[in-house]
Amino acid sequence: MTDVSRTGRYLSKNTLSRVALASVVANVAIVVTGGAVRLTGSGLGCPTWPRCTDGSYVTTPEMGIYGVIEFSNRMVTFVVGLIALAALVLVLLDRPRRRALLPLAVAVFLGIPAQGVIGGITVLTHLNPWVVGLHFLASMAVLWAAYAFWRRVAEPDGPVTPTVPTPLRRLTLLVTVVSAAVLVIGTWVTGSGPHAGDHGAARNGLSPELISQLHADAVFLLIGLSLAAWFAMRAVGATGPARAALVLIAVELGQGLIGLVQYFTHLPELLVGAHMLGSCLVWLATLALHYSTRERTPATTLPTTQGQDHSNVPDFAASSAS
């Protein structure tokens, strides 16, 4: 006989996992649509915020296609927020796992309006390039929370144990930090380039050539560290983290190729948009590597030490400081 409570619990977990994944996808989508706003020069299509115009919350015929594009991007924010709200409600209904999942669900849900407020400030500051960069980085922070939430939904509720030795966990942490630095420097490159989001928007005053070179140097460092992580994971037989590192390298190389082509073709809008999507994919692949170095083991399946020989098992947990 089927246990109804267990079946309902299983279906609930599957549903929550799908909604959590949808949240990740939606947060990538809003970065891409936000890029479309900037690349089409529609950043001030709605010249004020939270209204679209001084007299209307929605776009008007006088605003033309730029107003439609900007207002449509604002509507995407509501869709992303509704998905996050659905995830939060499901977590609240899941009593056995509520305590474990609630902090991340709340972080995603609250991060979306916070990111929206920063987007409003970009409009009110007439697309100040530093604020525009902060807007993008806020999206990356919410994407991190959404990814962490999705991973946590699929995990059991046991303790966290490392899957690789401590030095390799520190290496993956360094990869994550450098990946974040690449994103930050990338916003400086954007702020110095031609795609301001509006013809009258200011630039950050940095030299496009020099800041692009700094960005490229950071990317080379990231690829080198990712390669080191791949070789190191293979050396210790950590197949999961090694696979995650290889995926990250592949995404980085694809993103680097797009960046190189767009630089030498004078930043065509389509390639710049693809590069923004690539930034999200690199970040997600970085997070996948970071989270692959640890796992949660169900408490009911933890091995006991009595009567068992663990002399041939690497004691990663005992050597881990984190």
Side-chain angles (χ1 to χ4, degrees), residues 9 12 89-101 157:
R9 175 75 181 84
S12 174
V89 170
L90 288 173
V91 168
L92 291 173
L93 294 175
D94 190 355
R95 289 187 178 182
R97 304 198 69 202
R98 183 187 300 169
R99 179 175 297 180
L101 298 177
D157 292 330

Side-chain angles (χ1 to χ4, degrees), residues 34 43 53 60-61 105 120 125 138-139 141 152 177 181 186 196 207 214 218 229 275 277 309:
T53 68
T60 62
T125 57
S139 296
R152 186 68 184 89
V177 171
S207 167
L214 178 61
H275 199 58
L277 173 60
D309 180 12

Side-chain angles (χ1 to χ4, degrees), residues 108-145:
V108 176
F109 179 70
L110 295 182
I112 292 167
Q115 192 259 15
V117 169
I118 297 174
I121 295 174
T122 66
V123 174
L124 297 178
T125 57
H126 303 287
L127 306 183
N128 180 291
W130 300 106
V131 182
V132 172
L134 179 61
H135 187 43
F136 173 78
L137 295 176
S139 296
M140 293 297 101
V142 177
L143 183 57
W144 186 352

Side-chain angles (χ1 to χ4, degrees), residues 11-150:
L11 292 176
S12 174
K13 184 174 180 178
N14 275 335
T15 301
L16 182 55
S17 181
R18 294 188 185 102
V19 173
L21 180 59
S23 182
V24 174
V25 174
N27 276 284
V28 172
I30 199 171
V31 172
V32 176
T33 59
V37 170
R38 181 169 60 84
L39 294 170
T40 57
S42 305
L44 294 178
C46 287
T48 189
W49 186 87
R51 296 173 183 258
C52 187
T53 68
D54 289 335
S56 174
Y57 281 99
V58 300
T59 185
T60 62
E62 293 77 16
M63 307 308 298
I65 186 62
Y66 297 125
V68 172
I69 294 173
E70 163 65 7
F71 182 72
S72 297
N73 184 62
R74 294 187 182 188
M75 292 300 98
V76 173
T77 302
F78 284 99
V79 175
V80 179
L82 286 174
I83 295 174
L85 177 60
L88 180 59
V89 170
L90 288 173
V91 168
L92 291 173
L93 294 175
D94 190 355
R95 289 187 178 182
R97 304 198 69 202
R98 183 187 300 169
R99 179 175 297 180
L101 298 177
L102 190 58
L104 286 171
V106 170
V108 176
F109 179 70
L110 295 182
I112 292 167
Q115 192 259 15
V117 169
I118 297 174
I121 295 174
T122 66
V123 174
L124 297 178
T125 57
H126 303 287
L127 306 183
N128 180 291
W130 300 106
V131 182
V132 172
L134 179 61
H135 187 43
F136 173 78
L137 295 176
S139 296
M140 293 297 101
V142 177
L143 183 57
W144 186 352
Y147 180 82
F149 175 61
W150 174 63

Side-chain angles (χ1 to χ4, degrees), residues 215-226:
H215 183 59
D217 292 341
V219 170
F220 285 131
L221 175 60
L222 177 60
I223 295 175
L225 289 171
S226 301

Side-chain angles (χ1 to χ4, degrees), residues 169-205:
R169 297 192 71 196
R170 290 172 179 166
L171 176 59
T172 58
L173 178 59
L174 181 59
V175 170
T176 304
V177 171
V178 173
S179 184
V182 168
L183 292 176
V184 172
I185 299 172
T187 65
W188 302 347
V189 176
T190 299
S192 68
H195 299 297
D198 184 81
H199 297 298
R203 304 284 72 206
N204 59 22

